[in-house]
Amino acid sequence: MLETKSFFDLSHTLAAEYLEQFAYPWQALAGIKALILALGPTLDPAEYDHPAEDVWIAKSAKIFPSAYIAGPCIIGPETEVRHSAFIRGSALVGAGAVVGNSTELKNVILFDGVQVPHFNYVGDSILGYKAHMGAGAVTSNVKSDKTLVVVHGAGEPMETGLKKFGAILGDFVEVGCNSVLNPGTVIGPHSNVYPTSCVRGYLPPEHIHKNTGVIVKKEVR
């Protein structure tokens, strides 16, 4: 249930072939920089500008004047990078995405249609197709004691071997405003996190994490 194929429709990212290599999605985090450096030069110059070293931006993307974009980075078609966004590098941002005001990205894959539109921090994470993080929601990517991240809540604890690992959000995940996703948070597709939640471990697909820590199955409609 934690396998990469359980979280994502890989037709919605340039990283599809890369992600297919990994049994578990967090195993892909270490190679994002190299992936972007390999993909960038293969992009069609008729569709992508190359305004700076190791930076490729789709001609149809909208980049606001005060946004900061460091390489390696790919910004997909029809994506908006809004005022004061801070892309620190190693960011692969898909098509039709929104990187909003004062949002910071570092070592991430954002699938097509992802929205991180207001005051978000997303580091060492992968966000699936049309995942959305409400205003002020952040990933915490390093444990306070600096030990390696372990994924809990899906049977036996799973050692990741990673010191930096924020969150994996499956397709269509909704994270409420001002929530904190603790290191090693893994959320299955179509699940919801209530606003102001502190989330840890594994949330199965089609479940709701309430801000009291209670987890319930979604009702079928």
Side-chain angles (χ1 to χ4, degrees), residues 96-164:
V98 175
V99 181
N101 63 295
S102 302
T103 290
E104 180 178 348
L105 302 181
K106 172 252 179 187
N107 197 50
V108 296
I109 296 173
L110 306 188
F111 277 54
D112 300 343
V114 166
Q115 293 191 357
V116 283
H118 314 283
F119 306 102
N120 306 110
Y121 173 69
V122 187
D124 300 288
S125 299
I126 302 174
L127 278 56
Y129 179 57
K130 289 194 173 180
H132 170 260
M133 295 179 68
V138 299
T139 64
S140 173
N141 59 336
V142 180
K143 294 173 65 176
S144 59
D145 62 5
K146 307 302 188 291
T147 57
L148 300 181
V149 176
V150 178
V151 176
H152 295 278
E156 292 294 319
M158 296 193 67
E159 302 279 351
T160 69
L162 299 171
K163 183 178 179 182
K164 294 186 178 182

Side-chain angles (χ1 to χ4, degrees), residues 12-95:
H12 293 291
T13 178
L14 290 175
E17 187 175 344
Y18 172 72
L19 290 170
E20 285 175 339
Q21 304 175 67
F22 301 103
Y24 304 111
W26 55 84
Q27 294 173 326
L29 295 174
I32 292 175
K33 179 178 180 179
L35 167 68
I36 295 169
L37 291 174
L39 276 177
T42 71
L43 297 173
D44 185 350
E47 297 181 10
Y48 283 82
D49 290 325
H50 186 30
E53 184 178 5
D54 302 330
V55 175
W56 294 268
I57 299 175
K59 294 180 185 295
S60 60
K62 184 174 182 179
I63 312 298
F64 285 65
S66 60
Y68 177 87
I69 301 175
C73 179
I74 295 173
I75 305 293
E78 307 296 335
T79 283
E80 285 192 9
V81 180
R82 295 176 176 166
H83 282 296
S84 300
F86 178 29
I87 299 179
R88 287 169 53 189
S90 298
L92 173 54
V93 182

